[in-house]
Coordinates of all heavy atoms in Angstrom, one line a residue:
M1 N 118.7 -45.1 40.1 CA 120.0 -45.5 39.3 C 120.7 -46.5 40.1 O 120.8 -46.4 41.3 CB 120.8 -44.2 39.0 CG 120.2 -43.5 37.7 SD 121.0 -42.1 37.5 CE 120.0 -40.8 38.2
S2 N 121.5 -47.2 39.5 CA 122.3 -48.2 40.0 C 123.6 -48.0 40.1 O 124.2 -47.2 39.4 CB 122.0 -49.7 39.3 OG 122.6 -49.5 38.0
T3 N 124.2 -48.6 41.3 CA 125.7 -48.5 41.4 C 126.3 -49.9 41.1 O 125.7 -50.9 41.6 CB 126.1 -48.3 42.8 OG1 125.5 -46.9 43.0 CG2 127.5 -48.2 43.0
I4 N 127.3 -50.1 40.4 CA 128.0 -51.3 40.0 C 129.2 -51.5 40.9 O 130.1 -50.6 40.8 CB 128.2 -51.5 38.6 CG1 127.0 -51.3 37.8 CG2 128.9 -52.9 38.3 CD1 127.2 -51.3 36.2
Y5 N 129.1 -52.5 41.7 CA 130.4 -52.8 42.5 C 131.4 -53.7 41.9 O 130.9 -54.7 41.3 CB 130.0 -53.3 43.9 CG 129.3 -52.2 44.7 CD1 128.0 -52.2 44.7 CD2 129.9 -51.2 45.3 CE1 127.1 -51.2 45.4 CE2 129.2 -50.2 46.2 CZ 127.9 -50.3 46.1 OH 127.2 -49.3 46.7
V6 N 132.7 -53.5 41.8 CA 133.6 -54.3 41.2 C 134.6 -54.7 42.3 O 135.1 -53.8 43.0 CB 134.4 -53.5 40.1 CG1 135.6 -54.3 39.6 CG2 133.3 -53.2 38.9
R7 N 134.8 -56.0 42.3 CA 135.9 -56.5 43.2 C 136.9 -57.3 42.3 O 136.5 -58.3 41.7 CB 135.3 -57.3 44.2 CG 136.3 -57.9 45.3 CD 135.7 -58.7 46.4 NE 136.9 -59.0 47.3 CZ 136.6 -59.5 48.4 NH1 135.4 -59.8 48.9 NH2 137.6 -59.8 49.3
A8 N 138.0 -56.8 42.0 CA 139.0 -57.4 41.3 C 140.2 -58.1 42.0 O 140.6 -57.7 43.0 CB 139.6 -56.3 40.2
R9 N 140.6 -59.0 41.2 CA 141.7 -59.9 41.8 C 143.0 -59.4 41.4 O 144.0 -59.6 42.1 CB 141.5 -61.4 41.5 CG 140.4 -62.0 42.1 CD 140.3 -63.5 41.7 NE 140.1 -63.7 40.2 CZ 138.9 -63.7 39.5 NH1 137.8 -63.8 40.1 NH2 139.1 -63.8 38.1
N10 N 143.2 -58.7 40.2 CA 144.4 -58.2 39.7 C 144.1 -57.2 38.7 O 142.8 -56.9 38.6 CB 145.2 -59.4 39.0 CG 144.3 -60.1 38.0 OD1 143.9 -59.4 37.0 ND2 144.3 -61.4 37.9
A11 N 145.2 -56.5 38.1 CA 144.9 -55.3 37.4 C 144.1 -55.6 36.0 O 143.2 -54.9 35.6 CB 146.3 -54.7 36.9
W12 N 144.5 -56.9 35.5 CA 143.6 -57.2 34.2 C 142.2 -57.4 34.5 O 141.4 -57.0 33.8 CB 144.3 -58.4 33.7 CG 143.7 -58.8 32.4 CD1 143.9 -58.6 31.2 CD2 142.5 -59.9 32.3 NE1 143.2 -59.1 30.2 CE2 142.2 -59.9 30.9 CE3 141.8 -60.7 33.2 CZ2 141.2 -60.7 30.4 CZ3 140.7 -61.3 32.7 CH2 140.4 -61.4 31.4
D13 N 141.9 -58.0 35.4 CA 140.6 -58.3 36.1 C 139.9 -57.0 36.3 O 138.7 -56.8 35.8 CB 140.5 -59.1 37.3 CG 139.0 -59.6 37.7 OD1 138.3 -59.9 36.8 OD2 138.9 -59.7 38.9
A14 N 140.6 -56.0 37.1 CA 140.0 -54.7 37.3 C 139.6 -54.0 35.9 O 138.6 -53.4 35.8 CB 141.0 -53.9 38.1
Q15 N 140.6 -54.0 35.0 CA 140.4 -53.4 33.7 C 139.2 -53.9 33.0 O 138.3 -53.1 32.5 CB 141.5 -53.4 32.8 CG 141.4 -52.8 31.5 CD 142.7 -52.6 30.7 OE1 143.6 -53.1 31.1 NE2 142.4 -52.3 29.4
E16 N 139.0 -55.2 32.9 CA 137.9 -55.9 32.3 C 136.5 -55.6 33.0 O 135.7 -55.1 32.3 CB 138.0 -57.4 32.3 CG 139.2 -57.8 31.4 CD 139.0 -57.6 29.8 OE1 137.8 -57.9 29.4 OE2 139.9 -57.0 29.3
Q17 N 136.6 -55.7 34.3 CA 135.2 -55.3 35.0 C 134.9 -53.9 35.0 O 133.7 -53.6 34.8 CB 135.4 -55.8 36.4 CG 135.4 -57.3 36.6 CD 135.3 -57.8 38.0 OE1 134.4 -57.4 38.7 NE2 136.3 -58.5 38.5
L18 N 135.9 -52.9 35.1 CA 135.5 -51.6 35.1 C 135.1 -51.1 33.7 O 134.1 -50.4 33.6 CB 136.8 -50.8 35.5 CG 137.1 -50.8 37.0 CD1 138.5 -50.3 37.3 CD2 136.1 -50.3 37.8
N19 N 135.6 -51.7 32.6 CA 135.3 -51.3 31.3 C 133.8 -51.8 31.0 O 133.0 -51.2 30.5 CB 136.2 -51.9 30.3 CG 137.4 -51.1 30.2 OD1 137.5 -49.9 30.5 ND2 138.6 -51.7 29.7
A20 N 133.5 -53.0 31.5 CA 132.2 -53.6 31.3 C 131.2 -52.7 32.1 O 130.2 -52.4 31.6 CB 132.1 -55.0 31.8
A21 N 131.5 -52.3 33.3 CA 130.7 -51.5 34.1 C 130.4 -50.2 33.4 O 129.3 -49.7 33.4 CB 131.2 -51.3 35.5
E22 N 131.4 -49.5 33.0 CA 131.4 -48.3 32.3 C 130.5 -48.4 31.1 O 129.6 -47.6 30.8 CB 132.6 -47.8 31.8 CG 132.7 -46.4 31.2 CD 134.1 -45.9 30.7 OE1 134.8 -46.8 30.2 OE2 134.2 -44.8 30.7
G23 N 130.6 -49.6 30.2 CA 129.6 -49.7 29.2 C 128.2 -49.8 29.4 O 127.4 -49.2 28.8
R24 N 127.9 -50.7 30.6 CA 126.5 -50.8 30.9 C 125.9 -49.4 31.4 O 124.7 -49.0 31.0 CB 126.5 -51.7 32.0 CG 126.6 -53.1 31.6 CD 126.6 -54.1 32.8 NE 125.4 -53.9 33.6 CZ 125.4 -54.4 34.9 NH1 126.5 -55.1 35.3 NH2 124.3 -54.3 35.6
L25 N 126.7 -48.6 32.2 CA 126.2 -47.3 32.7 C 126.1 -46.3 31.5 O 125.4 -45.4 31.4 CB 127.1 -46.8 33.8 CG 127.1 -47.5 35.1 CD1 127.9 -47.1 35.9 CD2 125.6 -47.4 35.6
Q26 N 127.2 -46.3 30.5 CA 127.0 -45.6 29.2 C 125.7 -45.7 28.5 O 125.1 -44.7 28.2 CB 128.1 -45.8 28.3 CG 129.4 -45.2 28.7 CD 130.6 -45.6 27.8 OE1 130.5 -46.6 27.0 NE2 131.6 -44.8 27.8
L27 N 125.1 -46.8 28.5 CA 123.7 -47.1 27.9 C 122.7 -46.5 28.7 O 121.9 -45.9 28.1 CB 123.5 -48.7 27.6 CG 124.4 -49.4 26.7 CD1 124.3 -50.9 26.8 CD2 124.3 -48.8 25.4
Q28 N 122.7 -46.6 29.9 CA 121.8 -46.1 30.8 C 121.9 -44.5 30.6 O 121.0 -43.9 30.6 CB 121.9 -46.4 32.2 CG 121.6 -47.7 32.6 CD 121.8 -48.2 34.0 OE1 121.8 -47.3 34.9 NE2 121.9 -49.4 34.4
G29 N 123.1 -43.9 30.7 CA 123.3 -42.4 30.7 C 122.8 -41.9 29.4 O 122.3 -40.8 29.3
M30 N 122.9 -42.7 28.3 CA 122.6 -42.2 27.0 C 121.1 -42.0 26.9 O 120.5 -41.1 26.3 CB 123.0 -43.0 25.9 CG 124.6 -42.7 25.6 SD 125.1 -43.7 24.1 CE 125.2 -45.4 24.7
R31 N 120.4 -42.8 27.7 CA 118.8 -42.8 27.7 C 118.5 -41.5 28.4 O 117.4 -40.8 28.0 CB 118.3 -44.0 28.3 CG 118.2 -45.2 27.4 CD 117.4 -46.2 27.9 NE 118.4 -47.4 27.8 CZ 118.7 -48.2 28.9 NH1 118.3 -48.0 30.0 NH2 119.6 -49.1 28.6
I32 N 119.1 -41.3 29.5 CA 118.5 -40.0 30.4 C 119.3 -38.6 30.0 O 118.8 -37.7 30.3 CB 118.6 -40.3 31.9 CG1 120.1 -40.7 32.2 CG2 117.7 -41.4 32.3 CD1 120.3 -40.8 33.9
R33 N 120.5 -38.9 29.4 CA 121.2 -37.7 28.9 C 121.6 -36.5 29.9 O 121.8 -35.4 29.5 CB 120.5 -37.0 27.7 CG 120.4 -38.0 26.6 CD 119.7 -37.4 25.5 NE 119.5 -38.4 24.3 CZ 120.0 -38.2 23.2 NH1 120.6 -37.2 22.8 NH2 119.9 -39.1 22.2
T34 N 121.7 -36.9 31.2 CA 121.9 -35.8 32.1 C 123.0 -36.3 33.2 O 123.4 -35.4 34.0 CB 120.6 -35.4 33.0 OG1 120.3 -36.7 33.6 CG2 119.6 -34.9 32.1
H35 N 123.5 -37.4 33.1 CA 124.4 -37.9 34.2 C 125.7 -38.4 33.4 O 125.6 -39.0 32.4 CB 123.9 -39.0 34.8 CG 122.7 -38.6 35.8 ND1 121.5 -38.2 35.3 CD2 122.7 -38.5 37.1 CE1 120.6 -37.9 36.3 NE2 121.3 -38.1 37.4
G36 N 126.8 -38.2 34.1 CA 128.1 -38.7 33.7 C 128.3 -39.9 34.6 O 127.4 -40.4 35.3
I37 N 129.5 -40.5 34.5 CA 129.9 -41.7 35.2 C 131.1 -41.3 36.3 O 132.0 -40.6 35.8 CB 130.3 -42.9 34.4 CG1 129.1 -43.2 33.4 CG2 130.8 -44.1 35.1 CD1 129.6 -44.2 32.2
L38 N 130.9 -41.9 37.5 CA 131.9 -41.7 38.5 C 132.4 -43.0 38.9 O 131.5 -43.9 39.3 CB 131.4 -40.9 39.7 CG 132.2 -40.9 40.9 CD1 133.5 -40.0 40.5 CD2 131.5 -40.2 42.0
A39 N 133.6 -43.3 38.8 CA 134.3 -44.5 39.3 C 135.0 -44.2 40.4 O 136.0 -43.4 40.5 CB 135.1 -45.2 38.2
T40 N 134.8 -44.8 41.7 CA 135.4 -44.5 42.8 C 136.1 -45.8 43.2 O 135.6 -46.8 43.5 CB 134.4 -44.2 43.9 OG1 133.7 -43.1 43.5 CG2 135.1 -43.7 45.3
E41 N 137.5 -45.6 43.6 CA 138.2 -46.7 44.0 C 138.2 -46.7 45.5 O 138.4 -45.6 46.2 CB 139.8 -46.6 43.4 CG 140.7 -47.7 43.8 CD 141.4 -47.6 45.1 OE1 141.4 -46.4 45.6 OE2 141.9 -48.6 45.7
I42 N 137.6 -47.6 46.1 CA 137.3 -47.7 47.5 C 138.6 -48.1 48.4 O 138.8 -47.6 49.3 CB 136.0 -48.5 47.8 CG1 134.9 -47.9 47.2 CG2 135.7 -48.6 49.3 CD1 133.7 -48.8 47.0
S43 N 139.1 -49.2 47.9 CA 140.4 -49.9 48.5 C 140.9 -50.6 47.2 O 140.3 -50.9 46.2 CB 140.0 -50.8 49.6 OG 139.2 -51.7 49.3
A44 N 142.0 -51.2 47.6 CA 142.8 -51.8 46.6 C 141.9 -53.0 46.0 O 141.5 -54.0 46.8 CB 144.1 -52.5 47.0
G45 N 141.6 -53.0 44.7 CA 140.7 -54.0 44.0 C 139.2 -53.8 44.1 O 138.4 -54.7 43.7
H46 N 138.8 -52.8 45.0 CA 137.4 -52.6 45.1 C 137.1 -51.3 44.7 O 137.5 -50.2 45.0 CB 137.1 -52.7 46.7 CG 137.4 -54.0 47.3 ND1 138.6 -54.3 47.7 CD2 136.4 -55.0 47.5 CE1 138.4 -55.6 48.1 NE2 137.2 -56.0 48.1
F47 N 135.9 -51.3 43.8 CA 135.5 -50.0 43.2 C 134.0 -50.0 43.1 O 133.2 -51.0 43.2 CB 135.9 -50.1 41.6 CG 137.3 -50.3 41.4 CD1 137.8 -51.7 41.3 CD2 138.3 -49.3 41.4 CE1 139.2 -51.9 41.2 CE2 139.6 -49.5 41.2 CZ 140.0 -50.8 41.0
A48 N 133.4 -48.8 43.1 CA 132.0 -48.4 42.8 C 131.9 -47.6 41.6 O 132.6 -46.5 41.5 CB 131.4 -47.7 44.0
V49 N 131.1 -47.9 40.7 CA 130.9 -47.2 39.4 C 129.4 -46.9 39.4 O 128.5 -47.8 39.5 CB 131.3 -48.1 38.2 CG1 131.3 -47.2 36.9 CG2 132.7 -48.7 38.3
A50 N 129.1 -45.5 39.1 CA 127.7 -45.2 39.0 C 127.4 -43.9 38.3 O 128.4 -43.3 38.0 CB 127.2 -44.8 40.6
L51 N 126.2 -43.8 37.7 CA 125.9 -42.5 37.2 C 125.9 -41.4 38.2 O 125.3 -41.6 39.3 CB 124.5 -42.6 36.5 CG 124.5 -43.5 35.2 CD1 123.0 -43.7 34.7 CD2 125.4 -43.0 34.1
T52 N 126.3 -40.2 37.8 CA 126.1 -39.1 38.8 C 125.7 -37.7 38.0 O 126.2 -37.6 36.9 CB 127.4 -38.9 39.4 OG1 127.5 -37.8 40.4 CG2 128.7 -38.8 38.5
E53 N 125.1 -36.9 38.8 CA 124.8 -35.5 38.2 C 126.1 -34.7 38.4 O 126.0 -33.6 37.8 CB 123.6 -35.0 38.9 CG 122.3 -35.7 38.7 CD 121.2 -35.1 39.6 OE1 121.4 -34.6 40.7 OE2 120.1 -35.2 39.0
R54 N 127.0 -35.1 39.0 CA 128.3 -34.2 39.2 C 129.0 -33.9 37.9 O 129.7 -33.0 37.9 CB 129.2 -34.9 40.2 CG 128.8 -34.9 41.7 CD 129.8 -35.5 42.6 NE 131.0 -35.2 42.4 CZ 132.0 -35.9 42.9 NH1 131.8 -37.0 43.6 NH2 133.3 -35.5 42.6
F55 N 128.8 -34.9 36.9 CA 129.5 -34.7 35.7 C 128.5 -34.9 34.6 O 127.5 -35.6 34.7 CB 130.6 -35.8 35.6 CG 131.5 -35.8 36.8 CD1 131.4 -36.6 37.7 CD2 132.6 -34.7 36.7 CE1 132.3 -36.6 38.8 CE2 133.3 -34.7 37.8 CZ 133.3 -35.5 38.8
P56 N 128.8 -34.1 33.4 CA 127.7 -34.1 32.3 C 127.8 -35.5 31.6 O 128.7 -36.3 31.7 CB 128.2 -33.0 31.4 CG 129.7 -32.9 31.7 CD 129.8 -33.3 33.3
C57 N 126.6 -35.7 30.8 CA 126.7 -36.9 30.1 C 127.8 -37.0 29.1 O 128.2 -36.0 28.6 CB 125.4 -36.8 29.3 SG 125.1 -38.3 28.3
G58 N 128.4 -38.2 29.0 CA 129.4 -38.5 28.2 C 130.8 -38.4 28.8 O 131.9 -38.6 28.3
F59 N 130.8 -38.0 30.1 CA 132.1 -38.0 30.8 C 132.2 -39.0 31.8 O 131.2 -39.4 32.5 CB 132.2 -36.5 31.5 CG 132.7 -35.5 30.7 CD1 131.6 -34.8 29.9 CD2 133.8 -35.0 30.6 CE1 131.9 -33.7 29.1 CE2 134.3 -34.0 29.7 CZ 133.2 -33.3 28.9
T60 N 133.4 -39.6 32.0 CA 133.6 -40.6 33.1 C 134.8 -39.9 33.9 O 135.7 -39.5 33.3 CB 134.2 -41.8 32.4 OG1 133.1 -42.4 31.7 CG2 134.6 -42.8 33.5
H61 N 134.4 -39.8 35.2 CA 135.5 -39.3 36.1 C 135.8 -40.4 37.2 O 135.0 -41.1 37.5 CB 134.9 -38.0 37.0 CG 135.8 -37.4 37.8 ND1 136.8 -36.6 37.5 CD2 135.9 -37.6 39.2 CE1 137.5 -36.1 38.5 NE2 137.0 -36.8 39.7
V62 N 137.1 -40.3 37.4 CA 137.7 -41.3 38.4 C 138.2 -40.7 39.6 O 138.9 -39.7 39.5 CB 138.9 -42.2 37.7 CG1 139.4 -43.2 38.7 CG2 138.4 -42.9 36.4
E63 N 137.8 -41.2 40.7 CA 138.5 -40.7 42.0 C 138.7 -41.8 42.9 O 138.3 -43.0 42.7 CB 137.5 -39.7 42.7 CG 136.1 -39.8 42.8 CD 135.3 -38.8 43.4 OE1 135.5 -37.5 43.1 OE2 134.6 -39.1 44.3
S64 N 139.5 -41.5 43.9 CA 139.9 -42.5 44.8 C 139.9 -42.1 46.3 O 140.3 -40.8 46.5 CB 141.3 -43.0 44.4 OG 141.9 -43.9 45.4
V65 N 139.6 -42.8 47.2 CA 139.8 -42.5 48.5 C 141.2 -42.7 48.9 O 141.6 -42.3 50.0 CB 138.8 -43.3 49.6 CG1 137.4 -43.0 49.3 CG2 139.1 -44.8 49.4
N66 N 142.0 -43.2 48.1 CA 143.4 -43.3 48.3 C 144.2 -42.8 47.1 O 144.4 -43.4 46.1 CB 143.8 -44.7 48.4 CG 145.4 -45.1 48.9 OD1 146.0 -44.1 48.8 ND2 145.5 -46.3 49.1
P67 N 144.5 -41.5 47.2 CA 145.0 -40.6 46.0 C 146.1 -41.4 45.3 O 146.1 -41.3 44.0 CB 145.4 -39.4 46.6 CG 144.5 -39.2 47.8 CD 144.4 -40.5 48.3
P68 N 147.2 -42.0 45.9 CA 148.2 -42.6 45.2 C 147.7 -43.7 44.1 O 148.3 -43.9 43.1 CB 149.1 -43.2 46.1 CG 148.9 -42.4 47.3 CD 147.4 -42.0 47.2
L69 N 146.5 -44.3 44.5 CA 146.0 -45.4 43.7 C 145.1 -44.9 42.6 O 144.7 -45.5 41.7 CB 145.2 -46.3 44.5 CG 146.0 -47.2 45.6 CD1 145.1 -48.0 46.4 CD2 147.0 -48.0 44.8
E70 N 144.8 -43.5 42.7 CA 143.9 -43.0 41.6 C 144.5 -43.1 40.2 O 143.7 -43.4 39.2 CB 143.6 -41.5 42.0 CG 142.5 -40.9 41.1 CD 142.0 -39.5 41.5 OE1 142.4 -39.2 42.7 OE2 141.5 -38.9 40.7
E71 N 145.7 -42.9 40.0 CA 146.3 -43.1 38.7 C 146.2 -44.5 38.1 O 145.8 -44.7 36.9 CB 147.8 -42.6 38.7 CG 148.3 -42.5 37.3 CD 147.6 -41.6 36.4 OE1 147.2 -40.5 36.9 OE2 147.6 -41.9 35.2
A72 N 146.3 -45.5 38.9 CA 146.1 -46.9 38.5 C 144.6 -47.0 38.0 O 144.4 -47.8 37.2 CB 146.4 -47.8 39.6
V73 N 143.7 -46.4 38.8 CA 142.2 -46.6 38.5 C 142.1 -46.0 37.1 O 141.3 -46.4 36.2 CB 141.4 -46.0 39.5 CG1 140.0 -46.0 39.1 CG2 141.6 -46.8 40.7
R74 N 142.7 -44.7 36.9 CA 142.5 -44.0 35.6 C 142.9 -44.8 34.4 O 142.3 -45.0 33.3 CB 143.3 -42.8 35.6 CG 142.7 -41.7 36.3 CD 143.5 -40.3 36.0 NE 143.1 -39.4 37.1 CZ 142.2 -38.5 36.9 NH1 141.4 -38.7 35.9 NH2 141.9 -37.7 37.8
R75 N 144.1 -45.6 34.5 CA 144.6 -46.4 33.4 C 143.7 -47.6 33.2 O 143.6 -48.2 32.1 CB 146.0 -46.9 33.9 CG 147.1 -45.8 33.8 CD 148.4 -46.3 33.9 NE 148.7 -47.0 35.0 CZ 149.3 -46.6 36.2 NH1 149.6 -45.2 36.3 NH2 149.4 -47.4 37.2
A76 N 142.9 -48.0 34.2 CA 142.0 -49.1 34.1 C 140.9 -48.8 33.0 O 140.4 -49.6 32.4 CB 141.4 -49.5 35.2
F77 N 140.6 -47.5 32.8 CA 139.6 -47.0 31.9 C 140.3 -46.6 30.5 O 141.3 -45.7 30.7 CB 138.8 -45.8 32.4 CG 137.7 -46.2 33.4 CD1 138.1 -46.2 34.8 CD2 136.5 -46.8 32.9 CE1 136.9 -46.5 35.7 CE2 135.6 -47.1 33.8 CZ 135.8 -47.1 35.2
R78 N 140.1 -47.1 29.4 CA 140.7 -46.8 28.3 C 140.6 -45.2 27.8 O 141.5 -44.7 27.2 CB 140.2 -47.6 27.1 CG 140.5 -49.0 27.3 CD 140.2 -49.8 26.0 NE 138.7 -49.8 25.9 CZ 137.9 -51.0 26.1 NH1 138.5 -52.1 26.2 NH2 136.6 -50.9 25.9
N79 N 139.3 -44.7 28.0 CA 139.1 -43.3 27.4 C 139.1 -42.3 28.6 O 138.7 -41.2 28.2 CB 137.7 -43.5 26.8 CG 136.7 -43.7 27.8 OD1 136.9 -44.2 28.8 ND2 135.4 -43.5 27.4
V80 N 139.8 -42.5 29.7 CA 139.9 -41.5 30.6 C 141.1 -40.7 30.6 O 142.2 -41.4 30.6 CB 139.6 -41.9 32.0 CG1 139.7 -40.7 33.1 CG2 138.2 -42.5 32.2
P81 N 141.3 -39.4 30.2 CA 142.4 -38.8 30.0 C 143.2 -38.7 31.4 O 142.6 -38.7 32.3 CB 142.1 -37.3 29.5 CG 140.8 -37.2 29.8 CD 140.1 -38.6 30.0
P82 N 144.6 -38.6 31.3 CA 145.2 -38.4 32.7 C 145.1 -37.1 33.3 O 144.8 -36.1 32.7 CB 146.7 -38.6 32.4 CG 146.9 -38.5 30.8 CD 145.5 -38.6 30.3

């Protein structure tokens, strides 16, 4: 399984790239039906998005190595509840 790395220049760029990465991984996840998506904010503007067994198929989870920025990452995904 692949990890998609996102490097964004601003919030709009982050939202666009993260949504695109999530969409690509949703297609892969639907084929295997056992993995959810984990988006990890590594540092400001740098993200890793990957399929993971930690969450069930159909779920996207956001975490951050810098907790105050985690809420901003959540907002970058349209369908992730607060």
